[in-house]
């Protein structure tokens, strides 16, 4: 009878600890996901900004720049020079934005995943005689 009571108490204790552990881990994971989602948003804004610079900057500046450079270079060389500069600037922004996105994913860090696995194994080890 005493063994049944101690086993019952043990199961209640394991259950309570498991619930507490899962809640704590979920809070940590939720916090990490919010932080990483913010970083992803930043990366998306940078990528959008890079795209806008490439599109609008190209249309607005190309004509004037080509006209100015065509005084010293042939028209085709002036156009290629200006276009290459604009594409380079937009590409640099896109690379920075891509880096931000890569840092944001995966949304849950490897440390959290490892910690949850270790906790689960620890619970199983304690529950089994």
């Amino acid at each position: 009878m005493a063994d049944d009571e101690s086993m019952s108490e043990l199961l209640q204790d394991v259950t309570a600890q498991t619930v507490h552990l899962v809640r704590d881990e979920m809070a940590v994971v939720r916090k990490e996901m919010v932080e990483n989602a913010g970083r992803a948003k930043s990366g998306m804004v940078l990528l959008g900004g890079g795209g806008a610079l490439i599109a609008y900057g190209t249309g607005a500046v190309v004509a004037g720049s080509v006209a100015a450079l065509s005084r010293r270079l042939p028209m085709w060389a002036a156009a290629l020079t200006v276009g290459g500069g604009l594409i380079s600037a937009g590409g640099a922004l896109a690379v920075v934005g891509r880096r931000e996105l890569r840092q944001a994913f995966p949304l849950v860090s490897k440390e959290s995943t490892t910690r949850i696995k270790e906790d689960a194994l620890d619970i199983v080890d304690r529950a089994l005689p």
Side-chain angles (χ1 to χ4, degrees):
M1 191 73 143
D3 287 338
D4 289 339
E5 289 178 16
S6 64
M7 186 62 137
S8 173
E9 290 172 3
L10 178 64
L11 286 175
Q12 287 176 350
D13 188 39
V14 167
T15 302
Q17 288 180 7
T18 303
V19 169
H20 182 69
L21 181 64
V22 168
R23 285 183 182 160
D24 288 348
E25 291 296 338
M26 290 305 294
V28 170
V29 168
R30 187 178 304 120
K31 181 182 175 192
E32 287 178 354
M33 288 178 72
V34 168
E35 289 172 359
N36 288 336
R39 211 173 310 151
K41 179 182 173 184
S42 172
M44 295 294 277
V45 168
L46 285 170
L47 281 174
L53 276 179
I54 290 170
Y56 294 115
T58 300
V61 177
V62 167
S65 300
V66 170
L69 278 176
S70 68
R71 299 179 123 200
R72 301 256 185 214
L73 298 172
M75 184 66 80
W76 64 269
L80 285 176
T81 302
V82 171
L86 289 171
I87 290 171
S88 296
L93 281 177
V95 166
V96 171
R98 183 176 174 215
R99 185 178 308 133
E100 286 287 322
L101 283 174
R102 281 188 171 176
Q103 290 176 353
F105 293 101
L107 291 177
V108 179
S109 69
K110 288 183 182 180
E111 292 83 18
S112 289
T113 305
T114 302
R115 198 170 49 245
I116 290 170
K117 286 178 183 178
E118 289 172 355
D119 291 342
L121 289 174
D122 189 40
I123 290 169
V124 169
D125 287 342
R126 288 183 186 182
L128 296 176

